[in-house]
Amino acid sequence: MAEYSNRQLQIIDTAIELIAEGGIQELTMKHLADRIGISEPAIYRHFKSKMEILEALQRLFAGEKSIFMKQMLKRDISAIEKIELIMKYHFTSFAAKPALAAVMFSEGIFQNDRRLASAVLAIMQQSGDALATIVREGQKASEIRNDIEPQHLVTIILGSLRLMVNRWHLHRYTFDLLEEGKVFIKSLKTLLNKGQ
């Protein structure tokens, strides 16, 4: 995972806030400098362009997520427990940084640049592959229903997560994502176990 200075992390976090508040058009070096309280040239000492900031944002998110997912794959717990921890990880991460959800679940922000779009696709693929491995393990161990294709269960899990987080964002974070997440995880576990 790339190492960033405290100032670079501040710039990335501020970029996330600006995008979440007003879309990609709000992310300019001037707006960043104004929000942080430094000069525009100071921003350029840390990042050469807006594109470099967006790439750093994606790398940071992907790196943290990759480490977590690799740890989950290695844990000696049931597949259902792994899925529960993965869901809790996402709900907790987004609750801690609401603006991150608005940015990472808005592929439209990145679609006009091939590199950025490819990075988003890679993040989605990595998560889906890891989750599919866990689902297959659970089906093999008879912990997860096996009358539904693993990839379809992955789509249900990740799609539901995405929908809930997007709804939370659109409601301007007025409901408790962690509490809603707990209720959802309970329903998800019932769905995964049904039919065994």
Side-chain angles (χ1 to χ4, degrees), residues 32-65:
L32 277 169
D34 289 347
R35 177 70 64 95
I36 294 170
I38 59 177
S39 67
E40 280 186 66
I43 299 282
Y44 283 105
R45 282 196 288 276
H46 298 283
F47 292 103
K48 294 178 183 132
S49 66
K50 178 167 114 170
M51 183 64 65
E52 196 172 277
I53 294 169
L54 290 170
E55 289 174 334
L57 182 162
Q58 288 181 322
R59 273 194 304 275
L60 195 61
F61 180 74
E64 290 172 1
K65 192 169 184 176

Side-chain angles (χ1 to χ4, degrees), residues 3 7 14 22 26-27 30 36 39 41 55 67-68 70 76 97 113-114 121 145 149 152 159 166 178-179 186 194 196:
E3 292 291 323
R7 179 64 85 187
T14 304
E26 278 298 305
L27 180 59
K30 179 175 179 4
I36 294 170
S39 67
E55 289 174 334
I67 290 168
F68 176 79
K70 284 176 184 172
D76 188 23
K97 284 190 176 182
D113 183 273
R114 186 174 295 157
L121 188 59
R145 63 187 303 161
E149 288 293 319
H152 294 168
N166 275 335
L178 296 178
E179 284 305 311
K186 186 176 178 184
K194 190 173 180 176
Q196 288 298 326

Side-chain angles (χ1 to χ4, degrees), residues 69 72-73 79 82-84 86-87 90 124-138 144 150-151 153-159 161 188 192:
M69 294 302 271
M72 281 300 100
L73 288 169
K82 288 178 184 181
I83 292 168
E84 181 173 1
I86 289 168
M87 297 300 282
H90 283 91
M124 291 170 68
Q125 187 69 45
Q126 174 195 40
S127 295
D129 290 348
L131 200 49
T133 297
I134 292 168
V135 168
R136 281 191 294 273
E137 286 173 3
I144 294 177
Q151 199 55 51
L153 288 174
V154 168
T155 300
I156 290 167
I157 295 165
L158 294 180
L161 168 69
L188 179 62
L192 293 174

